[in-house]
C-alpha cells in the first residue's frame, strides 16, 4: 500500500502543477531560510566552544571601587591576580595571562632578510604565559606546544602572519624584531598555529613569551586578560563566592589606599554575548538580536507550513468524492489517514532536500550579507550536533502536525453526504484557515515594521552631528623609527604635501574618533575624595583645530606643554571635554580653568575645556575624556576640501612622499569615515538579515495567499457567473471576492502593531541616541504589506469578475 500511496501522490503532483509548485516553493523557501538563520545563530551562540575544556575555562574580571563607589567593570585584571588566585584555590588546575600591547604608543614588528626589511604595525600582539597554549585549543602547524613559549624572547605566530613575513618558507627559527613603547627586542619564532576560528573572542595573531617581560620595569603595573581552568565537576557558583571573599583582602601593588577591587569569574563561552565590560578584545555580540532572529526563523517556517495546511485544507473539497468512494469500497479511516499523511510527508521530504540544496548554493551570498565566513563544513557540524538533533525534532514534529491535521479533516468525510454532492468544504477547517492567514500576515507585518524602524534609526545616526569633523581624513600609523631627524622629516613631509594642495593639516593622537580609547585613568578633583574613571587621549597641539573641536574655555596645547621627561615630573597641563568637567563638579565651565585635578597620584592643571563629541557610536552615551599633550601613534591627515582632488589621488601622493621621508615605516592607512562606520557593523548586519528575511516572509505569505485565493476563486466560478447574469457589476464582484481576505489582512495588521512596538522599543534601548517611535512607523509598513496582499488577491478576483459567465455556466 505504501508503494501505491507514493505512486498516487506522484500522479497528484503531475496533475495539479500550480498547487504543487506553490506548496514546494513555499516550504522550500521557509525551510531554507530557517536553516540559514539557525546556521548563523548557532555560529554566534557557539563562540569559543571549540576549545577542549571550554566548559571549565573562566576569565577573571574586575570591578574597581573607590570610596565604595563603582568606578569601572573591566575584562582586565592586575598582573598578579592569576598566580595569586591559582595558589589560593585548589580548584584551579591551570592559569594563564595575556598582556596586550594595544595600549602602547606603537608596536611594530619587522623581519630583515638579505638587507631588506618587512615591517608591519601589529595590533593583535600579546605577551602570553606558556600555559595559554594548554588552556586554549591551538592547532600547531609547526613547533612543539609544550616548549613553544617557555623560553624568553620566543614567539608563536599564526599561519597568516607567517605568510605575511616569510611567504611559504618555514618560519621556525626566524627572528622578528618587535619595537614598542615598553619593549624592544628580537624574538625567535618557535611555533606556528592555525588562524583562530572566527567565532573566537581571542584576536591574537602573535604570542610572545611572558618571560620576556621579567625585567621590564613597568611589568607590575600591567593589566592583563587572565584565564583559569578549573578541575572537573567544580561548582562555579561556590568558587565565585570564595573568590568574592578572597577579594576582600586581595590588594595589588597598584591599588590606591581608598580603593578596593572585586574579582569575578566569567565563563569563556559567555564572553561574546554576555559582555558588558570595558577593555575587551573585540566588540560584543547581541544576544537579544540572536534570540529574536531564531524566533524569526521559526516564524517563517510556521508561515510556510501554514501555507501548506491552508492549501491542503482548501483542496480537501475536491477530494471529497474520492474519500467517499474509498470508504464505500471498504477503506478504513486509518488507511485513509495513512494515505494522506504519506502524501504530506513526501511533499515535505522533497522540500527538505530542495532546501538543503538551496542552503548549499546560497551560503556564499548569505555570508556576504552577514559579514562572517561560515564554512560549508560547519553546516555538517551543526546538523550532527545536539542542536541539529533538536532542529530535526522540531522539523519532524512540524511535518507530522501539518500532515496529520489536514489528513484527519479529509478522512472524516461522511460518504453518504459526500456522494450526494452536499459537501462545500466551508465547514472543514474554515475557521482555522482564517486564523492561520491572520497569523502569517501578523508575522510579515511585524517584520516589515522592524525593518522600517531599523532603516530610520541608521539614517538618523548617519545624519546626526557627532560634534567632530571626520570628513576627508586619512589615518595612518605614525612612524615608529623615531630618531633625532624625526621632527625635521615630519615638518618637511607636511610642508611638501601642503605645497601640492594635498593635505590641509596633520595631527597625531593616541586614539582617533571611531575607536575605543584603550587608555583610561582614575581622576579626582583636588580636595575631593570622589574618583572617576576617564578615558585618556594623548593629542598634539594641532588636534583641536584639525578636527574642528569647539574650545569652550581656556586655551589649546602648545609644544611647551609636552612632558619634559617622565610624565608627572611637573604639573602637567590637561584639557577636559564638557562631560568630564561636569562629572568632576565644574558646573561653571570657565571657572574650571586653572583648577587642579589628580590623575592617579599625578597633579595636573586644567588649561582648557572642549565641547563634547562622539568618540564612539551613537549607541553609547558621551564619555568623559582627559586630553594630555604629546605626539601620538595615530596620524590624522586632513585632506584639502578640493573637489578636483580625489581621495584615491591624495592617497597615491601621500604614499609616494611617505616612502621618501619614512622608508623604514610601512604606510598603512584607513579612511576615518570607514573606521567610524565600522562601529555599526554588528547592528547593520542584523538589520540586513531582518531586511532579507522580512522580504522572504512577505514573499512566502503572498505565495500562500496567491494559492489560497486562486483555489477559492476556482470554487466560486459558478457563483460569480450567476451573479453576473443577475446584473452584478465587476466592481461588486471584486469587492465580494476581496472582502474576506482583506478583512483577515486588516486584523493581522492591527494585531501586529502592539507586538512589533514592544520588540522594536526594546531594540532601540541599545542606543543612547535613537528615534522616537511614531504612528507612521506602524502605518507605513502596514500599508505596504496590505498593498502587496491586495495586489496578490486582485490578480485572481479581477480576472474572475471580468470573465464570461457563459464559460462558467455552460455545463449546467
Amino acid at each position: 500500500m505504501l508503494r501505491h500511496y507514493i505512486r498516487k501522490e506522484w500522479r497528484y503532483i503531475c496533475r495539479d502543477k500550480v498547487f504543487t509548485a506553490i506548496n514546494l516553493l513555499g516550504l522550500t523557501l521557509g525551510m531554507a531560510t530557517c536553516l540559514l538563520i539557525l546556521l548563523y545563530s548557532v555560529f554566534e551562540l557557539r563562540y569559543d566552544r571549540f576549545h577542549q575544556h571550554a566548559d571549565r575555562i573562566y576569565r577573571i574580571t574586575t570591578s574597581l571601587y573607590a570610596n565604595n563607589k563603582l568606578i569601572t567593570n573591566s575584562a582586565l585584571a592586575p598582573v598578579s591576580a592569576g598566580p595569586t588566585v591559582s595558589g589560593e584555590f585548589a580548584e584551579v588546575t591551570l592559569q594563564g595571562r595575556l598582556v596586550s600591547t594595544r595600549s602602547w604608543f606603537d608596536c611594530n614588528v619587522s623581519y630583515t632578510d638579505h638587507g631588506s626589511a618587512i615591517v608591519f604595525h601589529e595590533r593583535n600582539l600579546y605577551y602570553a604565559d606558556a600555559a595559554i597554549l594548554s588552556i586554549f585549543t591551538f592547532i600547531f602547524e609547526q613547533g612543539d606546544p609544550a616548549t613553544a613559549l617557555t623560553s624568553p624572547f620566543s614567539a608563536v605566530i599564526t599561519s597568516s602572519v607567517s605568510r605575511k613575513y616569510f611567504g611559504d618558507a618555514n618560519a621556525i627559527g626566524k627572528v622578528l624584531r618587535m619595537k614598542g613603547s615598553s619593549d624592544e627586542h628580537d624574538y625567535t619564532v618557535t611555533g606556528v598555529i592555525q588562524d583562530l576560528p572566527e567565532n573566537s573572542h581571542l584576536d591574537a595573531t602573535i604570542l610572545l613569551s611572558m618571560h620576556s617581560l621579567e625585567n621590564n620595569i613597568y611589568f607590575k603595573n600591567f593589566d592583563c586578560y587572565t584565564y583559569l581552568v578549573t578541575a572537573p565537576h567544580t561548582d562555579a557558583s561556590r568558587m565565585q563566592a570564595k573568590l568574592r571573599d578572597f577579594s576582600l583582602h586581595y590588594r595589588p601593588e597598584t591599588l590606591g589606599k581608598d580603593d578596593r577591587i572585586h574579582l569575578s569569574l566569567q565563563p569563556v563561552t559567555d564572553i561574546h554575548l554576555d559582555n558588558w565590560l570595558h577593555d575587551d578584545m573585540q566588540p560584543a555580540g547581541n544576544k537579544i538580536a540572536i534570540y529574536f532572529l531564531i524566533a524569526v526563523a521559526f516564524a517563517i517556517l510556521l508561515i510556510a507550513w501554514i501555507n501548506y495546511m491552508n492549501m491542503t485544507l482548501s483542496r480537501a473539497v475536491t477530494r471529497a468524492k474520492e474519500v467517499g468512494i474509498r470508504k464505500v469500497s471498504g477503506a478504513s479511516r486509518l488507511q485513509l489517514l495513512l494515505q494522506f499523511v504519506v502524501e504530506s510527508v513526501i511533499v515535505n521530504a522533497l522540500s527538505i532536500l530542495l532546501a538543503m540544496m538551496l542552503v548549499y548554493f546560497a551560503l556564499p551570498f548569505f555570508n556576504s550579507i552577514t559579514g562572517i565566513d561560515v564554512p560549508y563544513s560547519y553546516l555538517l557540524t551543526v546538523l550532527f550536533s545536539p542542536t541539529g538533533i533538536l532542529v530535526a525534532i522540531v522539523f519532524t514534529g512540524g511535518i507530522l502536525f501539518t500532515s496529520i491535521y489536514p489528513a484527519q479533516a479529509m478522512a472524516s468525510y461522511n460518504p453518504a453526504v459526500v456522494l450526494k454532492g452536499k459537501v462545500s468544504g466551508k465547514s472543514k477547517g474554515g475557521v482555522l484557515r482564517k486564523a492561520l492567514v491572520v497569523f502569517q500576515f501578523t508575522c510579515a507585518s511585524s517584520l516589515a515594521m522592524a525593518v522600517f524602524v531599523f532603516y530610520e534609526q541608521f539614517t538618523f545616526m548617519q545624519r546626526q552631528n557627532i560634534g567632530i569633523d571626520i570628513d576627508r581624513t586619512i589615518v595612518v600609523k605614525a612612524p615608529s623609527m623615531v630618531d633625532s631627524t624625526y621632527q625635521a622629516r615630519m615638518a618637511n613631509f607636511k610642508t611638501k604635501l601642503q605645497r601640492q594642495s594635498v593635505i590641509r593639516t596633520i595631527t597625531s593622537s593616541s586614539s582617533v574618533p571611531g575607536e575605543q580609547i584603550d587608555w583610561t585613568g582614575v581622576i579626582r578633583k583636588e580636595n575631593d575624595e570622589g574618583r572617576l574613571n576617564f578615558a585618556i587621549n594623548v593629542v598634539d597641539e594641532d588636534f583641536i583645530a584639525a578636527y574642528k573641536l569647539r574650545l569652550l574655555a581656556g586655551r589649546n596645547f602648545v609644544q611647551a606643554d609636552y612632558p619634559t621627561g617622565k610624565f608627572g615630573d611637573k604639573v602637567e597641563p590637561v584639557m577636559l571635554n564638557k562631560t568630564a568637567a561636569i562629572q568632576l563638579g565644574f558646573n561653571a565651565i570657565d571657572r574650571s580653568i586653572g583648577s587642579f585635578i589628580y590623575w592617579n597620584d599625578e597633579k595636573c592643571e586644567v588649561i582648557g575645556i572642549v565641547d563634547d563629541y562622539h568618540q564612539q557610536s551613537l549607541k553609547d552615551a558621551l564619555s568623559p575624556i582627559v586630553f594630555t599633550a604629546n605626539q601620538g601613534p595615530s596620524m590624522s591627515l586632513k585632506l584639502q576640501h578640493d573637489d578636483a582632488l580625489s581621495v584615491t589621488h591624495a592617497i597615491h601622493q601621500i604614499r609616494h612622499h611617505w616612502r621618501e621621508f619614512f622608508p623604514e615605516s610601512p604606510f598603512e592607512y584607513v579612511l576615518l569615515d570607514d573606521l567610524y562606520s565600522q562601529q555599526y557593523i554588528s547592528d547593520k548586519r542584523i538589520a540586513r538579515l531582518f531586511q532579507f528575511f522580512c522580504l522572504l516572509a512577505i514573499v512566502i505569505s503572498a505565495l500562500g495567499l496567491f494559492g489560497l485565493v486562486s483555489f477559492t476563486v476556482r470554487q466560486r466560478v459558478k457563483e460569480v457567473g450567476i451573479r453576473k447574469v443577475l446584473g452584478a457589476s465587476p466592481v461588486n464582484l471584486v469587492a465580494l471576492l476581496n472582502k474576506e481576505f482583506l478583512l483577515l489582512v486588516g486584523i493581522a495588521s492591527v494585531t501586529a502593531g502592539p507586538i512589533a512596538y514592544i520588540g522594536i522599543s526594546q531594540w532601540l534601548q541599545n542606543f543612547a541616541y535613537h528615534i522616537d517611535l511614531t504612528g507612521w512607523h506602524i502605518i507605513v509598513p502596514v500599508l505596504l504589506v496590505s498593498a502587496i496582499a491586495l495586489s496578490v488577491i486582485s490578480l485572481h478576483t479581477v480576472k474572475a469578475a471580468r470573465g464570461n459567465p457563459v464559460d462558467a455556466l455552460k455545463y449546467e
Side-chain angles (χ1 to χ4, degrees), residues 578-624:
K578 183 178 177 181
T579 296
I582 292 173
Q583 290 192 16
L584 284 171
F586 296 118
N587 294 323
I589 299 298
D590 55 340
R591 294 183 184 177
S592 63
I593 305 303
S595 300
F596 295 102
I597 62 173
Y598 283 85
W599 171 8
N600 295 329
D601 295 324
E602 310 299 340
K603 189 174 183 179
C604 305
E605 180 185 3
V606 178
I607 65 165
I609 305 293
V610 298
D611 202 1
D612 286 328
Y613 69 93
H614 291 278
Q615 172 68 25
Q616 292 185 263
S617 73
L618 272 72
K619 292 177 64 176
D620 305 313
L622 291 168
S623 57

Side-chain angles (χ1 to χ4, degrees), residues 4-21 315-316 318-323 326 339-340 343 347 410:
H4 170 72
Y5 294 153
I6 295 173
R7 187 165 60 247
K8 193 169 184 61
E9 176 60 18
W10 178 252
R11 290 174 182 169
Y12 276 116
I13 288 174
C14 295
R15 188 171 63 188
D16 198 342
K17 295 182 176 63
V18 174
F19 175 87
T20 303
R315 200 178 67 157
T318 64
R319 303 189 65 177
K321 290 183 179 179
E322 174 192 344
V323 172
R326 284 182 175 276
Q339 173 191 341
F340 294 129
E343 291 176 5
V347 174
M410 288 188 286

